[in-house]
Amino acid sequence: MTDEWRGWREAAQAALYGDEGFYRSPARSPEGPAGHFRTSVHASPLFATAVARLLTGIARELDTGTVALVDVGAGRGELLTGVLAALPEGLDVAPYAVEVAGRPPGLDPRIEWCAEPPAGVTGLLFANEWLDNVPVEVAETDAEGVPRYVRVRASDGAERLGDPVAGADAAWLERWWPLSAPGERAEIGRPRDTAWAGAVGSLTAGLAVAVDYAHVRGARPPFGTLTGFRGGREVRPVPDGSCDLTAHVALDACAAAATEAVAEAGTGASTELTGQREALRRLGVGGDRPPLSLATTDPAGYVRALAAAGEAAELTARGGLGDFGWLLHRVGLPEPG
Ligand SMILES: C[S@@+](CC[C@H](N)C(=O)[O-])C[C@H]1O[C@@H](n2cnc3c(N)ncnc32)[C@H](O)[C@@H]1O
């Protein structure tokens, strides 16, 4: 912890990923991310089942021997564990967990634990709630309408305005999140664009998917979304390592960065930005209740189907997980029919 004033990007990087950081220190977060907030992965095994279906479809299209399944920002490996359990017999999968935190004890030995996405693999790269944790600078417009970097003090989260936003950050704001009125704020998503373009670029062929709280140009939140989470509650964002620090993702900017990078590398790619409700519906997860008649013919099956419908409803809820954005890039694959 320090009393220095720093930009949010540097402060959050230290608070989340420094030696004593929120995601690195087992003492601060013994249960991993699941102890502090609930992602789709924790909400229901239906999510892993849907990802298993996605992987199976991609494996069929690729028609190669082994397909890679790369989970970026893998937490404690919960999604990979769930997907491996849901895969059909006979599919040869190489699972990779890309994670800043250490490998948890007892994890399936087939899962390779790595610090970076493996280069040149073929298969599915999936990143659920990773990009919102990639630290970014925060900008705020001063009384004269000039966007300035926000500087923050780690000890208490106090903020003050610093230098005017300049260079590539200013160009990013202009293109993706223009600010005008005094007091408006934006999170400058450039590091996320770079991170996502790098992750997508690690695939030789296959599908890359980023799932996150998202917004797009024309509908940005006027004061940004930077916030904190600790122990299941939203808290004031203080970059002292005691809480998660997260901000919704400009997924349209990430989409453009990855598309440009893949085009530069000469690999064909098609890009789609959709919502979790629609993406999961395509993968067979809806919120429909089972027919009441099943309660008489198969009471146990009815109860199971009812529970699954409740979980599917949570994953696809308006105002909740269903509003998440899904950004999909098909790399080196033909356009979907
Ligand atoms: C919000 S958690 C999501 C965990 C899991 N994907 C889920 O949906 O439950 C974000 C995770 O991303 C990891 N992370 C953040 N930046 C990373 C990076 N550059 N490389 C690898 N992991 C990263 C964090 O350590 C954390 O475990």
Side-chain angles (χ1 to χ4, degrees):
M1 204 165 62
T2 161
D3 273 341
E4 255 176 79
W5 295 88
R6 293 188 287 183
W8 262 108
R9 184 179 177 190
E10 188 190 338
Q13 184 66 35
L16 296 179
Y17 308 117
D19 288 343
E20 291 301 304
F22 180 77
Y23 280 115
R24 292 271 309 283
S25 160
R28 285 195 192 272
S29 191
E31 330 77 346
H36 296 277
F37 44 84
R38 188 173 160 86
T39 69
S40 296
V41 176
H42 315 127
S44 166
L46 290 176
F47 193 74
T49 305
V51 176
R53 281 192 197 126
L54 200 54
L55 177 61
T56 310
I58 287 300
R60 203 177 301 123
E61 279 193 69
L62 288 166
D63 196 21
T64 53
T66 306
V67 275
L69 170 59
V70 184
D71 183 3
V72 189
R76 296 293 168 104
E78 298 96 329
L79 178 63
L80 286 172
T81 305
V83 174
L84 289 176
L87 283 174
E89 285 279 309
L91 189 66
D92 192 8
V93 173
Y96 299 89
V98 184
E99 186 38 70
V100 170
R103 182 186 183 99
L107 192 71
D108 188 322
R110 287 175 291 175
I111 298 174
E112 193 166 319
W113 200 260
C114 19
E116 298 287 335
V121 295
T122 295
L124 174 64
L125 180 139
F126 202 88
N128 189 63
E129 292 204 37
W130 166 46
L131 292 171
D132 66 285
N133 281 134
V134 173
V136 289
E137 292 293 355
V138 176
E140 183 175 320
T141 310
D142 69 13
E144 276 75 51
V146 177
R148 292 180 174 273
Y149 291 107
V150 175
R151 299 182 70 75
V152 61
R153 189 166 59 192
S155 54
D156 58 1
E159 291 183 342
R160 63 185 188 198
L161 296 190
D163 290 338
V165 177
D169 283 344
W172 190 95
L173 281 184
E174 186 66 28
R175 180 176 177 191
W176 293 110
W177 195 330
L179 295 174
S180 49
E184 280 186 353
R185 284 167 70 111
E187 287 107 24
I188 306 176
R190 230 161 44 81
R192 294 168 175 182
D193 298 359
T194 308
W196 182 239
V200 176
S202 72
L203 278 184
T204 301
L207 179 69
V209 185
V211 180
D212 235 305
Y213 305 89
H215 42 61
V216 292
R217 197 184 151 125
R220 305 276 185 223
F223 305 109
T225 59
L226 177 69
T227 190
F229 278 93
R230 184 191 308 121
R233 298 230 170 116
E234 188 163 2
V235 295
R236 198 168 145 257
V238 178
D240 62 358
S242 70
C243 62
D244 182 29
L245 297 166
T246 166
H248 296 196
V249 182
L251 271 185
D252 50 349
C254 296
T259 306
E260 285 157 20
V262 171
E264 237 169 68
T267 326
S270 63
T271 300
E272 183 191 8
L273 183 52
T274 185
Q276 173 146 311
R277 217 172 0 265
E278 168 61 15
L280 287 184
R281 188 193 60 73
R282 285 187 215 159
L283 293 166
V285 180
D288 292 346
R289 291 165 70 95
L292 205 51
S293 56
L294 191 66
T296 8
T297 53
D298 177 8
Y302 178 74
V303 170
R304 273 198 307 275
L306 205 54
E311 290 176 8
E314 181 179 356
L315 290 175
T316 55
R318 284 180 203 284
L321 295 171
D323 292 342
F324 272 41
W326 277 53
L327 171 59
L328 303 100
H329 300 274
R330 290 167 58 84
V331 180
L333 290 173
E335 291 279 332

